[in-house]
Structures are given as C-alpha cells and as structure tokens.
C-alpha cells in the first residue's frame, strides 16, 4: 500500500529532476485523489479498500464450511464419483466470484484526469476580480447545456477537478475523483463503480447470488439424504447437521441482498440508467436520453469493448505536469483545493472545515453577500466599475476559480483596459490631493 510522502528538500514543487539527481516521481505518487495504490501503481483501490477483507471473508468462510461439513459428506452419495463435482464446483465458483471482486475493485473505474488550471472561458464572458491585490480570478458558469440524442442535458463544473463534467459523469467525494458513467461508490468492494468496472460489478453481484443459491440448495439435499438413509423426520435430520442449518439461514438472508441488487441492476441495465441517475433524476417521469432499447442497452454493457484508462499511473511526472503542485499566490496548492462543497455528488456532506476552506479559496469575501467595495476586493477601482463588477457577480450559478496570470499568455501580467487605467489615474491624484489637504488642515 502506497502513501504519498511529504515533499522534502528545497524543490518547492516537491518534484525531483535532473538537478537533484533523483528520478522524478510517478503519477500515482503525487495523485491528488483519495485512492490507495498497490504494486507501484498497477492496482488502484478506493480509500476504503480494507473493506475488501470483510467481503472476502463473508464469501470464503461459508464456502469453506460448506465444503467441510456438507460437500465432503455428499461425495460418496452419488455414483460414478459425481459427488466430488459438488465440492469442485463450489471451490471453482468461489474463485470465480473472488476474481470478479478483484476486477471490480482493483482497476480504474473511469477517472477523468484533473486539469492543471481552469478552462478558458468561452468568449471571455467571465467576471474579472482582483481580490485585495490578489491574482485576478475568473468567474465561470457552473452549469452548461449540451444536447444528447436530441435532448438537452445539463453538465456541471467541478471545482476540485477544474473541468466541466461530461454527461453521466459525477464527482465522488469519497474517492475525490470525477468518474465517467458514475453509478455509485460501493463500500463492499472499496471502489467507485463507473464506466470501466460496472460490467464486472454486475457479474460479481449476479455470481454471488448464484453461489448463495448453490450452497442453499445442496444443504437441503444433504438434509434430505439424512432423512432417507436414517428414516427420520426433517427436524431430527436438521439437528444432525447444524452446519447446514447455519448455512441455510446465512444464504437465505444474503440472497435477499445480492439477489435484490441483481434484479435492481437488471432493471437499470434494461433502461440504461445508473444508480445515481435513478435516485436523482427519475427518468420514469421524463425522457431518458441514453435509453436505446432493451437489446441495445444490454449490448452496451456486456458486448462493447471497455475503454482504456485515461490515467497513466506509472508514468513519470514531467515538470509541466508537476507545475500544478507548485505554489500559487504564495502558498502550496492543497490536493482538496476548491473542493465542490455545494455540489458534493456522493458520499458525505462537507464539514465546517471544508466550507471554511472554500471561503478562503474564493477570496475571503464574496461579492454575492452584499459586501462593500473594500471587503469585496474592489476598493482600488473606481466606484462605477466596482459597482458594475459586483452587480455582475451576483449570479448564484457561477463559480470562482483562481488563475495564474501567465496561463495562456506570453507576458506575466494581465492586460488592463485603457479606460480602467485612466479612471484609476484620475482617482489617484484626487485621493492624494484630499489627503494632503487633510494633513495641512490638521
């Protein structure tokens, strides 16, 4: 299990290079999500990957009891050595279920790589903010409309990943990543369920249901054999094999969970929905732009190639890629910089500390709260300009995103319009003159 160490040395970016003589870190070593990596980035798990141990125990332990106390005693009850197949099938099917569990939890579910900086606003329609002499900030629209199969779909801007989420994408607050075709975060597999592992997740749940039915059925077969051979009642036969009774009760309870989950996901697949969409959007009340018919919906899940991961976790981090880890505005950028407090999609709600962090990142004073010019960072601008900028910034759907002055520009400063400079120059002598008059009068 890999834990990212704190940066050492004098390199402010925390990235080694030819100057230090050490090899640059790999992507998984500077990963900003909450994931856990194994085998040097070859396997990626969620932050709750330890729950896999409990899931494996809940699957393997009952099968072990079944093989020892039930299947072993049935081996001699069937002719032509067919009885041994009962144990062989149980063991092989269990290994198959565990393999599906591993394929679900140990792979990239469809994480979209984060941007190093916010996207360029279309037509530069954003609002320019100065923020008490701080680096200017761009206000981007939080929601955009895109057309999917002739139906308008809204996409949101993710403050954490600094990108507009594609359709069906959502940000998981547990893994702290934007995941394509996000279904849900499953604590039993310790991973998000998304575009690249949903097929294996469904096969895991469905196979676990079959395994429960298999154990449940042969426990009753064993009880029936005791009744026949000993000419006794069912109650006395059940008393002769308490292990079978425990397994019958256990699998009966488990099949309600995994079986019900299987039926629910069959419905989702047939209508081309995700769990998140089903609980949030309720497509049964409006048109589903992704529904292509039952046959095509099943083909999309089971008979299409799984896209390759967009993340190269084992690649070395270049200086350009690593620049997002350097200081911006005099401080280190936190991995949780700009966490989407208002748009947490799944997991937990934001705490007070996270909310305070967002306030700090957004300038320690919002023009949306009706603050005066000085508090909102417009104290050094003419009153007319600051009032206009404050009025334009009252759109509640917009998000503030810090930008470096050199992004996408050849020079290291922002271009200021001549009329703004002229107004500032006119205001500055007047302020100095009034200040000197006050001093003289005193």
């Amino acid at each position: 299990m890999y834990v990212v160490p704190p940066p050492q040395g004098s390199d402010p970016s925390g990235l080694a290079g030819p100057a230090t003589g050490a090899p640059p870190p790999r992507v998984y070593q500077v990963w900003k999500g909450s994931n856990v990596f194994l085998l040097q980035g070859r396997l990626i798990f969620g932050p709750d990957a330890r729950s896999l141990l409990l899931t494996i125990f809940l699957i393997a332990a009952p099968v072990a009891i079944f093989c020892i106390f039930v299947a072993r005693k049935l081996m001699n009850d069937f002719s032509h050595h067919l009885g041994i197949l009962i144990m062989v099938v149980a063991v092989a099917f269990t290994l198959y279920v565990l393999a599906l569990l591993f394929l679900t939890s140990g792979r990239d579910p469809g994480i979209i790589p984060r941007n190093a900086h916010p996207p360029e606003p279309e037509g530069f329609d954003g609002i320019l903010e100065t923020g008490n002499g701080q680096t200017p900030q761009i206000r981007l629209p939080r929601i955009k409309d895109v057309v999917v199969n002739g139906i308008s779909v809204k996409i949101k801007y993710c403050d954490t990943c600094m990108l507009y989420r594609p359709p069906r994408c959502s940000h998981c607050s547990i893994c702290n990543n934007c995941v394509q075709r996000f279904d849900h975060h499953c604590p039993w597999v310790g991973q998000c369920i998304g575009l690249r592992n949903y097929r294996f997740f469904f096969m895991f749940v469905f196979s676990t249901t079959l395994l429960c039915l298999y154990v449940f059925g042969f426990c009753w077969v064993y009880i029936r054999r005791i009744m026949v051979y000993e000419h006794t009642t069912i109650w006395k036969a059940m008393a002769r094999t308490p292990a079978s009774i425990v397994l019958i009760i256990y699998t009966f309870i488990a099949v309600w969970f995994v079986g019900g989950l299987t039926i629910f996901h069959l419905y989702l697949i047939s209508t081309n929905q995700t769990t998140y969409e089903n609980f949030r959007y309720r497509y049964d009340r409006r048109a589903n732009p992704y529904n292509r018919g039952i046959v095509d919906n099943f083909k999309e899940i089971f008979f299409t190639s799984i896209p390759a991961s967009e993340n190269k976790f084992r690649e070395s981090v270049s200086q350009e890629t690593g620049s997002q880890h350097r200081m911006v505005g005099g401080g280190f950028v936190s991995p949780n910089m700009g966490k989407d407090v208002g748009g947490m999609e799944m997991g937990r709600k934001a705490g007070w500390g996270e909310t305070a962090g967002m306030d700090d990142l957004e300038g320690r004073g919002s023009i949306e709260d009706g603050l005066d010019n000085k508090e909102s960072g417009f104290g050094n601008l003419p009153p007319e300009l600051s009032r206009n900028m404050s009025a334009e910034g009252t759109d509640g759907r917009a998000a503030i995103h810090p930008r470096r002055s050199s992004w996408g520009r050849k020079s290291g400063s922002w271009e200021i319009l001549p009329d703004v400079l002229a107004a500032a120059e006119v205001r500055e002598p007047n302020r100095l003159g009034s200040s000197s008059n006050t001093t003289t009068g005193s």
Side-chain angles (χ1 to χ4, degrees):
M1 184 178 298
Y2 181 82
V3 179
V4 179
Q8 298 179 357
S10 59
D11 184 7
S13 66
L15 300 175
T20 60
R26 299 181 184 272
V27 172
Y28 77 91
Q29 294 175 318
V30 294
W31 186 253
K32 287 189 174 184
S34 303
N35 302 91
V36 176
F37 294 88
L38 295 179
L39 300 179
Q40 298 181 345
R42 292 179 175 88
L43 300 177
I44 175 173
F45 298 88
D48 48 353
R50 293 184 178 179
S51 61
L52 277 173
L53 300 177
L54 175 61
T55 304
I56 293 174
F57 175 79
L58 293 177
I59 296 174
V63 174
I65 296 175
F66 172 78
C67 292
I68 295 173
F69 296 100
V70 179
R72 184 173 61 89
K73 297 182 179 180
L74 287 174
M75 291 174 60
N76 298 326
D77 291 343
F78 294 90
S79 60
H80 305 291
H81 304 287
L82 294 179
I84 196 173
L85 290 178
I86 298 175
M87 182 177 294
V88 171
V89 170
V91 173
F93 207 64
T94 302
L95 294 177
Y96 172 70
V97 170
L98 295 178
L100 291 174
L101 173 63
F102 177 78
L103 290 173
T104 302
S105 61
R107 66 189 293 124
D108 177 6
I111 299 173
I112 299 179
R114 303 186 184 199
N115 285 335
H117 54 78
E120 289 288 346
E122 297 179 0
F124 197 69
D125 295 331
I127 298 173
L128 182 64
E129 299 183 3
T130 57
N132 292 328
Q134 299 292 330
T135 303
Q137 296 174 330
I138 295 296
R139 180 176 291 273
L140 297 171
R142 173 152 322 258
I143 297 176
K144 285 187 176 182
D145 291 327
V146 296
V147 178
V148 178
N149 296 328
I151 300 176
S152 178
V153 177
K154 295 184 181 297
I155 60 174
K156 291 183 178 180
Y157 182 82
C158 179
D159 296 294
T160 304
C161 303
M162 289 187 286
L163 53 82
Y164 283 99
R165 303 168 189 160
R168 314 196 84 174
C169 172
S170 185
H171 189 92
C172 176
S173 61
I174 299 177
C175 293
N176 199 21
N177 295 310
C178 278
V179 180
Q180 299 182 72
R181 203 186 185 279
F182 180 80
D183 190 88
H184 69 288
H185 183 95
C186 181
W188 296 103
V189 303
Q191 182 64 283
C192 285
I193 307 302
L195 177 66
R196 300 189 67 251
N197 64 349
Y198 180 80
R199 178 186 304 175
F200 301 110
F201 170 76
F202 175 80
M203 294 172 64
F204 163 71
V205 174
F206 177 70
S207 300
T208 304
T209 303
L210 295 181
L211 181 61
C212 289
L213 295 176
Y214 182 86
V215 173
F216 180 85
F218 274 99
C219 285
W220 281 113
V221 169
Y222 181 53
I223 292 175
R224 176 63 180 172
R225 301 289 289 186
I226 294 177
M227 292 175 59
V228 172
Y229 285 161
E230 298 185 5
H231 304 284
T232 185
T233 63
I234 185 174
W235 303 111
K236 291 183 179 180
M238 293 172 64
R240 292 287 306 273
T241 173
S244 297
I245 304 304
V246 172
L247 290 175
I248 288 173
I249 296 175
Y250 178 84
T251 54
F252 178 80
I253 296 175
V255 80
W256 280 100
F257 290 96
V258 293
L261 196 60
T262 299
I263 295 174
F264 174 67
H265 279 278
L266 283 173
Y267 161 73
L268 294 180
I269 295 173
S270 64
T271 56
N272 207 328
Q273 299 184 62
T274 64
T275 302
Y276 179 74
E277 292 170 347
N278 179 262
F279 281 93
R280 177 153 185 166
Y281 300 121
R282 304 298 299 176
Y283 283 138
D284 55 350
R285 300 177 184 175
R286 61 176 182 173
N288 181 2
Y290 312 106
N291 190 355
R292 307 188 317 190
I294 295 179
V295 176
D296 290 335
N297 291 339
F298 273 88
K299 287 182 178 180
E300 179 181 332
I301 297 298
F302 298 106
F303 300 102
T304 58
S305 60
I306 298 176
S309 173
E310 297 184 14
N311 301 277
K312 307 299 181 182
F313 298 110
R314 290 179 49 78
E315 284 189 353
S316 298
V317 179
S318 62
Q319 292 297 328
E320 294 181 358
T321 306
S323 62
Q324 60 181 305
H325 302 279
R326 298 184 180 181
M327 292 185 295
V328 177
F332 279 99
V333 178
S334 168
N336 296 324
M337 172 183 175
K339 181 171 286 188
D340 189 2
V341 176
M344 285 288 187
E345 300 297 349
M346 289 293 292
R348 53 180 175 77
K349 294 183 178 180
W352 284 104
E354 295 169 348
T355 308
M358 279 294 296
D359 294 337
D360 292 340
L361 288 171
E362 296 185 358
R364 299 181 181 275
S366 174
I367 57 178
E368 300 172 8
D369 297 333
L371 301 178
D372 58 16
N373 294 340
K374 182 178 294 184
E375 290 176 346
S376 60
F378 302 118
N380 296 328
L381 295 179
E384 295 81 3
L385 180 59
S386 61
R387 281 196 297 269
N388 293 338
M389 296 177 70
S390 299
E392 293 176 1
T394 56
D395 185 2
R397 298 177 300 172
I400 299 175
H401 308 291
R403 288 178 58 92
R404 281 182 278 184
S405 60
S406 60
W407 284 337
R409 303 179 184 273
K410 294 181 179 180
S411 63
S413 61
W414 286 80
E415 296 181 28
I416 303 178
L417 297 177
D419 55 347
V420 178
L421 287 174
E425 290 174 358
V426 171
R427 186 185 177 194
E428 187 66 20
N430 294 337
R431 189 175 64 179
L432 292 177
S434 62
S435 178
S436 60
N437 293 335
T438 304
T439 305
T440 305
S442 62

